Amino acid sequence: MIRINEIPLSLDEDESILKSKAAKILKINVKYIKAYTIYKKSIDARKKDDVHFTYSIDVEILLDENQITAKCRSNKVQLVKPYVYEAPQNKRNSKFRPVIAGFGPAGMFAGLILAGAGLRPLILERGKDIDARQRDVNKFWSDRELDEESNVQFGEGGAGTFSDGKLTTGIKSPFIRKVLDEFYEAGAPEEILYSSKPHIGTDRLTVVVKNIRKKIERLGGEVMLECKLEKLITANGFIHGVTYSHKGKMFDIETDSVILAIGHSARDTIEMLYNCSVEIIQKPFSVGARIEHPQKLINQSQYGRFANHPKLGAADYKLACHGLHERGAYTFCMCPGGTVVAAASEKEGVIVNGMSSLARDGENANSALLVGIEPKDFPSSHPLSGIYYQREIEHRAFKLGGSDYRAPAQLVGDFLLGIESHSLGNVHPTCPTGVTLTNLDECLPRRVSETMKSAIVEMDKKLSGFNLYDAVLTAPETRSSSSVRILRDEFLQCSIRGVYPCGEGAGYAGGIVSAAVDGIKCAHAVLSDEH
């Protein structure tokens, strides 16, 4: 197969001309092109007077590929082999079924791989099925009644289910394609296979998650909902089983392999692991707030005169800079045309996140504006100190918001001036539990708010309008990543043999795709263990 990179198309050109453009680059008659598929599609908006699409395509031809690629002499052309996922050989001799704790992206993909290998994994998920979970989340957003076991963080699909379904990642792995293929097979839109910034959308994720569960079950796996991991049963440094709870009763499962795909909000589980002498260390994390702008402003800033072109849709952005104290500030999980999400999972704590539908047609754009927190900033040297620090910020936000799960918020202009907000401007916050206008300096750590203020001014130089006075900050965002790392060795096992820390909660991932890839890696490690 021949891959041709960097083929430009104007916004008004149809994709059907890619075939003739490919023939011209390869210096062959178009009749010799058997077929082509889009490998990557992106928007090039570096020049505001020339916003266009750029494509990479994979071409099958009826001629000798080696001769043609040598003849065309273009650095945009290369020979490639189609990706085919191959599971490792199953070397296990065990009679026991592996157990997976958690059914977010890491747990789902670990389950898919192990079920596909015939190991019939048992997957424990503390939350409810996606439909019941959606009802509980909606009830929390409307009535502010929080269910600590069924919420934005816990339940079928994990925290990523109530997000943009963003599939961008900074990691390099051949398993990324496997992840995208499985999502597409489960009902995600086809464009995730080639978009440079793929996303599924919150509305589509519910279908995708259900279909992945059904596939695991067809392959012999079992997803046990409302079943919370309570204890590891160990002897002589090896795992022998787990204890889980279901509707107030305790049950034991005998096993010699446990994948811990618990997510970054399962704080009680992390404390249990710490008390079981599992080696846990502090890990940097980030704190900040969601910033909301009119989506039209972002479109104009990014696309200029092309802002309203129907092919472009809602614009996004990704910004980073260094503020005071040399702390990095950056935007994260930007949700074009989206909403801010009330994402609490503990009583008397407030946190926010962002999400958007597949259409991304909401009035506002929102993104996390985050500041890095290093272990030296933690209150103590205790391995779980970062968790306690996060919880302290969330409790302060709960009180500042009115002790009823409304989130504290402030106009960007007032935030920069250090004065309390009393009324909204032209940007209306979208947090579903409501907001309380206040001064976020009373909620966020001082060094975080100082760095955010400096960053907003600097980021406005890169994205005009970022420091819009009426833009709204809603706080706090504390769970963009885990504040702990559960140590594992080259076999991906922790200090208890047969236990595989996995995904975001274990400190080895930072998004849907990276967590899913880590789930695949841990499943491979289980398959390669010969005990």
Side-chain angles (χ1 to χ4, degrees):
M1 184 176 290
I2 299 174
R3 180 165 298 156
I4 307 174
N5 297 309
E6 299 178 30
I7 302 176
L9 255 65
S10 75
L11 300 184
D12 295 321
E13 288 181 303
D14 191 86
E15 286 181 353
S16 61
I17 69 170
L18 284 170
K19 188 174 183 178
S20 60
K21 282 181 174 279
K24 185 176 181 180
I25 292 170
L26 295 177
K27 300 179 181 178
I28 62 174
N29 191 300
V30 70
K31 69 181 181 181
Y32 294 117
I33 294 182
K34 180 181 178 182
Y36 74 91
T37 56
I38 299 171
Y39 176 74
K40 191 70 68 178
K41 176 183 177 181
S42 60
I43 298 171
D44 188 337
R46 290 173 294 178
K47 297 179 180 179
K48 297 298 180 281
D49 61 345
D50 182 27
V51 177
H52 61 273
F53 293 112
T54 301
Y55 290 80
S56 293
I57 64 173
D58 289 341
V59 181
E60 295 180 59
I61 63 174
L62 300 173
L63 305 172
D64 187 294
E65 292 182 346
N66 289 291
Q67 288 184 1
I68 296 301
T69 52
K71 179 183 174 182
C72 72
R73 295 179 182 178
S74 172
N75 58 8
K76 297 180 181 179
V77 177
Q78 62 186 123
L79 288 173
V80 296
K81 291 183 178 180
Y83 172 76
V84 178
Y85 168 75
E86 293 184 6
Q89 179 185 355
N90 180 12
K91 298 181 180 179
R92 282 173 58 86
N93 296 310
S94 173
K95 65 179 181 179
F96 298 113
R97 299 169 70 178
V99 171
I100 301 168
F103 197 60
M108 286 192 294
F109 277 83
L112 278 171
I113 300 304
L114 294 181
L119 268 61
R120 301 184 304 117
L122 293 164
I123 305 175
L124 306 176
E125 168 52 54
R126 66 191 294 170
K128 299 179 182 179
D129 69 81
I130 190 65
D131 293 324
R133 181 186 181 199
Q134 181 73 69
R135 290 192 293 270
D136 290 337
V137 168
N138 288 339
K139 184 174 180 58
F140 171 55
W141 287 349
S142 62
D143 302 340
R144 302 181 200 145
E145 295 179 12
L146 177 66
D147 184 332
E148 290 186 284
E149 296 297 335
S150 181
N151 48 60
V152 168
Q153 307 297 339
F154 301 141
E156 183 179 20
T161 305
F162 291 90
S163 71
D164 191 35
K166 202 179 285 25
L167 303 180
T168 50
T169 180
I171 68 168
K172 302 289 184 183
S173 170
F175 300 141
I176 292 173
R177 183 66 191 195
K178 170 66 172 173
V179 172
L180 297 179
D181 285 343
E182 290 289 350
F183 278 138
Y184 173 56
E185 180 188 312
E190 184 179 9
E191 53 261 35
I192 70 165
L193 299 177
Y194 55 79
S195 172
S196 63
K197 297 178 180 179
H199 81 112
I200 299 176
T202 312
D203 48 338
R204 189 73 74 90
L205 273 166
T206 54
V207 174
V208 170
V209 167
K210 280 184 192 177
N211 286 338
I212 288 176
R213 168 169 47 90
K214 290 176 182 177
K215 181 175 181 178
I216 291 171
E217 291 170 343
R218 286 197 306 271
L219 293 169
E222 186 176 353
V223 181
M224 303 168 64
L225 297 162
E226 298 182 68
C227 292
K228 177 183 173 184
L229 176 66
E230 297 284 357
K231 181 183 175 183
L232 300 181
I233 302 171
T234 63
N236 302 318
F238 286 81
I239 188 73
H240 287 266
V242 300
T243 299
Y244 71 92
S245 60
H246 176 66
K247 297 185 177 180
K249 296 182 179 180
M250 295 290 180
F251 303 87
D252 290 340
I253 299 174
E254 194 171 2
T255 186
D256 53 14
S257 298
V258 177
I259 294 178
L260 295 173
I262 57 177
H264 58 41
S265 292
R267 293 167 171 171
D268 48 359
T269 306
I270 293 170
E271 288 179 324
M272 177 273 289
L273 296 171
Y274 177 75
N275 291 331
C276 288
S277 299
V278 172
E279 290 185 66
I280 300 175
I281 63 171
Q282 297 178 343
K283 187 183 79 62
F285 68 103
S286 297
V287 172
R290 281 273 149 182
I291 185 167
E292 288 190 89
H293 298 90
Q295 182 62 52
K296 289 182 179 179
L297 181 149
I298 304 301
N299 294 346
Q300 185 64 40
S301 296
Q302 294 292 66
Y303 297 148
R305 65 184 178 88
F306 297 95
N308 296 319
H309 198 286
K311 284 188 179 180
L312 288 175
D316 65 3
Y317 59 81
K318 184 177 182 180
L319 304 169
C321 66
H322 290 282
L324 300 175
H325 311 294
E326 297 183 353
R327 296 172 187 276
Y330 61 98
T331 61
F332 176 77
C333 187
M334 192 273 165
C335 297
T339 59
V340 172
V341 175
S345 61
E346 294 180 347
K347 296 289 188 183
E348 300 186 357
V350 163
I351 61 170
V352 294
N353 197 351
M355 74 178 192
S356 57
S357 66
L358 179 61
R360 290 177 162 176
D361 55 0
E363 184 177 333
N364 289 357
N366 77 81
S367 175
L369 177 58
L370 301 177
V371 176
I373 302 290
E374 300 294 328
K376 62 185 175 63
D377 302 315
F378 293 5
S380 75
S381 59
H382 191 283
L384 308 189
S385 181
I387 288 176
Y388 305 143
Y389 192 24
Q390 289 172 317
R391 184 177 285 149
E392 177 188 331
I393 296 168
E394 293 160 14
H395 284 179
R396 283 206 304 266
F398 178 77
K399 292 179 180 178
L400 191 60
S403 298
D404 60 359
Y405 296 104
R406 284 177 296 165
Q410 189 175 14
L411 301 190
V412 164
D414 292 341
F415 179 66
L416 295 177
L417 294 173
I419 60 176
E420 182 177 338
S421 289
H422 295 284
S423 61
L424 294 169
N426 292 322
V427 179
H428 299 282
T430 57
C431 182
T433 52
V435 301
T436 299
L437 292 177
T438 184
N439 187 340
L440 295 184
D441 289 339
E442 297 178 30
C443 167
L444 300 171
R446 182 176 61 85
R447 53 177 70 98
V448 169
S449 60
E450 286 179 356
T451 305
M452 286 173 60
K453 290 172 185 177
S454 175
I456 289 170
V457 174
E458 290 299 312
M459 288 177 178
D460 185 71
K461 299 174 183 177
K462 302 175 182 179
L463 183 68
S464 179
F466 195 78
N467 69 350
L468 178 73
Y469 198 110
D470 286 355
V472 177
L473 287 163
T474 308
E477 175 130 357
T478 53
R479 301 195 198 172
S480 60
S481 64
S482 176
S483 62
V484 299
R485 174 165 286 136
I486 305 173
L487 294 181
R488 65 189 191 190
D489 61 18
E490 67 270 27
F491 304 108
L492 306 190
Q493 299 181 47
C494 73
S495 50
I496 299 174
R497 311 315 296 165
V499 175
Y500 301 80
C502 181
E504 284 203 40
Y508 294 98
I512 291 174
V513 170
S514 60
V517 166
D518 204 53
I520 293 173
K521 289 166 60 178
C522 286
H524 285 191
V526 171
L527 289 170
S528 300
D529 193 342
E530 298 184 22
H531 76 279

